[in-house]
Amino acid sequence: MKLGIFDSGVGGLTVLKEVKRAFPNVDIIYLGDTARVPYGGKSKDTIIRYSLECAQFLMRFDIDLLIVACNTASSYALDILKDEFGIPIFGVIDPGVKKALGVSKTKIIGVIGTKSTIASGEYQRKLAQAGSVVYARACPLFVPLVEEGITDGEIADKVVEFYLSELKQIGIDTLILGCTHYPLLLKPIKRYMEHIHIVDSASSLVEEISPYVKNEGSSSLRLFFTDHSPSLGSLVDLILGKGNKLELAPMLCSL
């Protein structure tokens, strides 16, 4: 069985890691659109176009299921992708919402994400429909911080405090990391938001796709990126471990 996963950059590798752990035999093709990261500051139409181009690239490999690991793309393009392609397609927002609702005791939940993800209101709407009080905050510097390999230390601590101080004062008991890059900042986030449930979508996503995935295949993994930045290799090593071959996929805009 072949699974396709795409994200705006390296953050989706956190999702890939969980999927690979749960289904070690499946074949996985990953695409990180590192040439155009971050998606979070782009317009809705551009995000949809980028998402269609990423999906079209992965469909070349005859994938059986597609995972949209990018929260911003999940917010704006998921339904369009489902209409366009005849395979099961999953985003990361619903799994994150379900997990947060399951662990929150006070139902006072915070959501952080890119500007576009927060502006879409998808998390806020779904959490509010379930009776939660929701506080949302865009954290636009988090993605470039991760893409530059700054995932811990004094700079990361200061940026985390800058964005999360208000949510901490409000008294949320659960915080959704509404971007796949954000788990790479988990250490400084946990230090600052102590005693708060931290939720990312990766583990919940595995539960959602389980009925559709047969753990069969050759265990192959191909990692495509639309640009090889100087920090790319070290970030991939940080998330997946060393020894992975990185391939270049620069021609998305010609699709």
Side-chain angles (χ1 to χ4, degrees):
M1 186 166 191
K2 292 183 181 180
L3 307 186
I5 303 174
F6 82 80
D7 183 59
S8 61
V10 298
L13 294 176
T14 60
V15 174
L16 184 155
K17 187 175 182 179
E18 291 297 322
V19 171
K20 195 67 175 172
R21 181 182 290 128
F23 310 107
N25 296 327
V26 300
D27 301 318
I28 299 177
I29 301 96
Y30 178 88
L31 175 63
D33 195 4
T34 42
R36 303 187 291 196
V37 68
Y39 283 10
K42 307 293 193 301
S43 68
K44 178 180 179 180
D45 288 345
T46 295
I47 293 162
I48 291 170
R49 177 166 61 85
Y50 286 2
S51 299
L52 285 167
E53 290 170 353
C54 288
Q56 287 165 357
F57 175 85
L58 291 170
M59 291 298 291
R60 296 176 180 179
F61 296 91
D62 296 322
I63 58 173
D64 301 297
L65 180 146
L66 175 64
I67 296 171
V68 183
C70 176
N71 281 261
T72 302
S74 295
S75 298
Y76 288 118
L78 190 63
D79 289 339
I80 292 170
L81 293 172
K82 287 180 177 180
D83 289 340
E84 183 74 17
F85 303 104
I87 62 172
I89 299 177
F90 296 86
V92 287
I93 291 178
D94 285 341
V97 167
K98 290 176 184 176
K99 187 171 182 179
L101 291 171
V103 300
S104 177
K105 294 181 179 179
T106 67
K107 295 299 181 283
I108 303 175
I109 298 174
V111 181
I112 56 175
T114 65
K115 288 181 178 180
S116 291
T117 296
I118 298 303
S120 76
E122 282 294 294
Y123 275 110
Q124 298 94 304
R125 180 176 59 82
K126 292 180 178 183
L127 289 166
Q129 284 176 345
S132 295
V133 177
V134 189
Y135 296 93
R137 180 79 157 96
C139 305
L141 289 179
F142 278 12
V143 171
L145 205 65
V146 168
E147 293 286 335
E148 288 298 320
I150 305 172
T151 58
D152 203 359
E154 184 179 357
I155 295 174
D157 284 339
K158 288 184 180 299
V159 176
V160 165
E161 181 181 0
F162 174 76
Y163 284 124
L164 301 189
S165 59
E166 185 177 348
L167 291 177
K168 187 174 184 178
Q169 292 169 10
I170 286 169
I172 62 172
D173 81 333
T174 302
L175 178 66
I176 298 176
L177 307 183
C179 175
T180 50
H181 285 72
Y182 293 4
L184 297 171
L185 292 167
L186 191 59
K187 286 183 179 179
I189 290 173
K190 276 189 170 181
R191 275 197 300 269
Y192 188 69
M193 303 293 284
E194 56 184 354
H195 310 306
I196 303 294
H197 294 291
I198 308 296
V199 171
D200 74 85
S201 301
S203 58
S204 300
L205 176 69
V206 166
E207 297 175 13
E208 188 159 322
I209 67 173
S210 290
Y212 300 85
V213 178
K214 295 180 180 179
N215 189 26
E216 300 173 352
S218 59
S219 302
S220 67
L221 174 62
R222 298 188 70 178
L223 302 174
F224 289 94
F225 298 91
T226 54
D227 182 47
H228 284 186
S229 66
S231 60
L232 179 62
S234 60
L235 283 169
V236 174
D237 291 347
L238 175 67
I239 302 168
L240 298 181
K242 295 184 178 181
N244 293 288
K245 180 183 176 183
L246 310 184
E247 302 182 61
L248 188 63
M251 299 303 291
L252 295 186
C253 293
S254 67
L255 293 175

